Amino acid sequence: MARDFEDHCWKDVVDQEILEIYEPYRREVRVGSRPAVLAIDLYNKAYRGGNRPVREVNRQYSGSCGEHAWKALEPTRLLFAAARAAGIPIVYTTRHAETDGVHSTHRRVHGETEQLYHIKEELAPMPGELVIYKERASGFFGTPLIAHLRKLGVESLIVCGESTSGCVRASAVDAYSYGFPTVVVEECTFDRSLLSHKVNLFDLHHKYAGVMHVDEVIAQLDGRARDRDAA
Amino acid sequence: MARDFEDHCWKDVVDQEILEIYEPYRREVRVGSRPAVLAIDLYNKAYRGGNRPVREVNRQYSGSCGEHAWKALEPTRLLFAAARAAGIPIVYTTRHAETDGVHSTHRRVHGETEQLYHIKEELAPMPGELVIYKERASGFFGTPLIAHLRKLGVESLIVCGESTSGCVRASAVDAYSYGFPTVVVEECTFDRSLLSHKVNLFDLHHKYAGVMHVDEVIAQLDGRARDRDAA
Amino acid sequence: MARDFEDHCWKDVVDQEILEIYEPYRREVRVGSRPAVLAIDLYNKAYRGGNRPVREVNRQYSGSCGEHAWKALEPTRLLFAAARAAGIPIVYTTRHAETDGVHSTHRRVHGETEQLYHIKEELAPMPGELVIYKERASGFFGTPLIAHLRKLGVESLIVCGESTSGCVRASAVDAYSYGFPTVVVEECTFDRSLLSHKVNLFDLHHKYAGVMHVDEVIAQLDGRARDRDAA
Amino acid sequence: MARDFEDHCWKDVVDQEILEIYEPYRREVRVGSRPAVLAIDLYNKAYRGGNRPVREVNRQYSGSCGEHAWKALEPTRLLFAAARAAGIPIVYTTRHAETDGVHSTHRRVHGETEQLYHIKEELAPMPGELVIYKERASGFFGTPLIAHLRKLGVESLIVCGESTSGCVRASAVDAYSYGFPTVVVEECTFDRSLLSHKVNLFDLHHKYAGVMHVDEVIAQLDGRARDRDAA
């Protein structure tokens, strides 16, 4: 059963006055038709230093989301499995380590750095799945993502990944602008700052996308997989 | 004298742990070279119901930012005066009331509704100043804004307007993506939700733009106006 | 019956050597699934001076396509009728007379000039049909066209209008880039220069779109209208 | 001394009637301020089969521009040398061989195919020069080119490369849309079809860019290099 529209992680930071102001946004939230999963920046760099508090890992590994990244690993693995079982394409974004020009040598450090932007092994793309290389926060900016979604016949998006207040938000806002009904999966997004995580999900939920819990998303995808098998 | 990098409105909601994580973003923030002011959605709709709490005005006037809008009126008027004195272009965004297709009649209600999206009189564009009509949050999406900025020779932006968590943020993120060094003026941006206002300014300050106080921005613009007059 | 792939207006200017080089582009060309008609710049300005040679009308009416515009009027009217009968949306583009800034007075000349960019009466949009205002050649550049097509569920395009070597070509190239299978209707496009008309249709046909004769397009649209009525 | 505005390769295919219609486009054409060279798709694939007629090389090497590519090699080399001497950045475009998804194996054929899209050795980028990977005709579509030009402070473009009727035209039209004054270098652009080459340069010259001869462009760049050295 679907939980209440405001039954989300931001409950402890958003007060009653704000909820009253945002009351008109209340609506049913569902995965749209012909969806794709858009998996934002699930690269190794976000997991460095291991399953520990961000403040600790961040001293050595700038940009790591620490325990928030690790906590989202299993829900995201389950989300991907459900999407693949339902025949729903997964499109990844990541970046190249250096994008400013041609280099005269292929130093060893380049290979090491590039590895930081490979998708984490447990969530890695399967053969044929698309990886979009971007240079800005949004997966749409300066990339051919919109053209690929058009060619895949995608009509709505399921967004996950990191960071909630960075590339996830920028991508979800652009998805809305391009006219894709979009769902953001709460347990499969993460950030270094919990406050920014919560408030950005709140903003997205009311203005641009529907924030859903991973179990609800997976239940809907499983239903589609069953419908497809029965057909 | 410039205040501390974190001496901003988010001080009471962002804790020490997060500030430590974001310490590497600390830098000097200044208005860039050849700037334009980008004034987001300063239309009548945001001020309806008058200088009262958002919760009160919002019951009757959906979308009004109430007292937050009115509080930003005088600082914004001063910002615009300083920009014009320094010969810095102001580019406005707003929207049309209806954008979905051709209408067979020009009903009177149409004119009344359209008036909601006229720029508030105290801040209205001067002859020759550019107004961009948009249909999405970002002033760049689905508009010729980037082409006009290019033709004006604009190389950096000063962003103000509303709402901080909606069109201001989306426009500032896109400005960063396009490569414009961008300043967001704290006292000249506003939102219905103070929490979203603060956290979005925090996000922007660390990731995409520099949040500056209006007195600092005006002081820098006045300096340029003097330099220009002396030349 | 479909004519040969190269049975088009460019036959008298493209020689055998070029046709041999372009032989690998030979393929079947059809209207795609879930199409919209994209009607480019069918505004009064293109018809000024009447049904006379371009060289003559152009002396007085800069930008008029003269007899080429008038010749395309009836085929385009029939194309629009077939599209509407088949429930296929028509999206128009045009422009505003002046786009550089706010004007202090509404001079009468402004109204007269604006009238130049109204869609020609015989082809005018019906209530509810969408008109996109653009400032550049392509209907996609600096406009929300892509978002509207996404929201309408459009998956392919049928392009007509003027000029073949200007806004039609630029729009068709962008349509291809965004991933829309696109048909250009030969008899419903026109230009001031016949040579540019022919060579641009040749380029489009081989690289970006399929050029079809209007009778073939209408026959396919009529078939869809019958299928729809029978369903 | 600058030659006449219409003293270009299209003289033998564009007749007097068309020239009269296009007379109002006559103007002085110069390299703009703060230019960059945009070098479109100067990759090995365009030169395969050697300095022979396109019809011959094309049988074995689809996409080769044969003798037209080889003829442009020396002028382009000189153009690049003049640009570098004047401190003008060169930005290249090319593509990846395959862009549709992740591959499970790195087959040897992949490396061979990728080599087709390396820039031809004589024209190869120097360390630090930017290469933009694109999937569509225009160097701007689905790429971060606009952001890089903004960050480089580029205000105008000098376009060369191939093909005139494909990626060069699409890139020059987009450059115009974004507001960059643009010059296209006649002897440094090429195509498989001479007719399309000529008519596309004619279209570009009158609507979107100024077509200049390479000796005129180099003379202007040399002048800037001297001014710079003297300063």
Side-chain angles (χ1 to χ4, degrees), chain A residues 117-190:
Chain A
Y117 297 107
H118 289 178
I119 305 298
K120 181 141 181 62
E121 190 177 7
E122 295 90 325
L123 305 173
M126 309 278 280
E129 289 179 345
L130 187 65
V131 181
I132 296 285
Y133 290 82
K134 65 187 176 70
E135 299 187 13
R136 290 294 191 267
S138 167
F140 289 92
F141 191 92
T143 78
L145 176 57
I146 182 66
H148 282 280
L149 296 178
R150 172 81 280 290
K151 293 184 80 174
L152 290 166
V154 169
E155 296 188 345
S156 70
L157 290 171
I158 301 165
V159 175
C160 65
E162 63 94 17
S163 71
T164 318
S165 70
C167 300
V168 167
R169 173 160 181 160
S171 299
V173 169
D174 272 355
Y176 179 84
S177 291
Y178 278 108
F180 294 98
T182 297
V183 155
V184 177
V185 190
E186 179 170 327
E187 292 81 4
C188 304
T189 55
F190 50 98

Side-chain angles (χ1 to χ4, degrees), chain B residues 112-132:
Chain B
E112 281 171 15
T113 309
E114 192 72 22
Q115 199 273 339
L116 289 181
Y117 297 107
H118 289 178
I119 303 299
K120 181 137 183 66
E121 190 177 7
E122 295 90 326
L123 305 174
M126 309 278 280
E129 288 180 344
L130 186 65
V131 182
I132 295 285

Side-chain angles (χ1 to χ4, degrees), chain A residues 13 18 20-21 25 55 58-59 136-137 141 165-166 169 176-177 192-193 195-196 200 203 207-208, chain B residues 13 18 20-21 25 55 58-59 136-137 141 165-166 169 176-177 192-193 195-196 200 203 207-208:
Chain A
V13 297
I18 295 176
E20 185 186 325
I21 295 169
Y25 292 91
R55 180 158 49 170
N58 214 58
R59 282 173 196 141
R136 290 294 191 267
F141 191 92
S165 70
R169 173 160 181 160
Y176 179 84
S177 291
R192 287 176 296 172
S193 157
L195 177 66
S196 284
N200 276 277
D203 290 344
K207 292 173 194 275
Y208 305 111
Chain B
V13 296
I18 295 175
E20 184 187 328
I21 295 169
Y25 291 93
R55 180 156 52 170
N58 215 59
R59 283 174 196 139
R136 291 293 192 267
F141 191 92
S165 71
R169 174 161 180 159
Y176 178 84
S177 291
R192 287 177 294 173
S193 158
L195 177 65
S196 283
N200 276 276
D203 289 344
K207 291 173 194 275
Y208 305 112

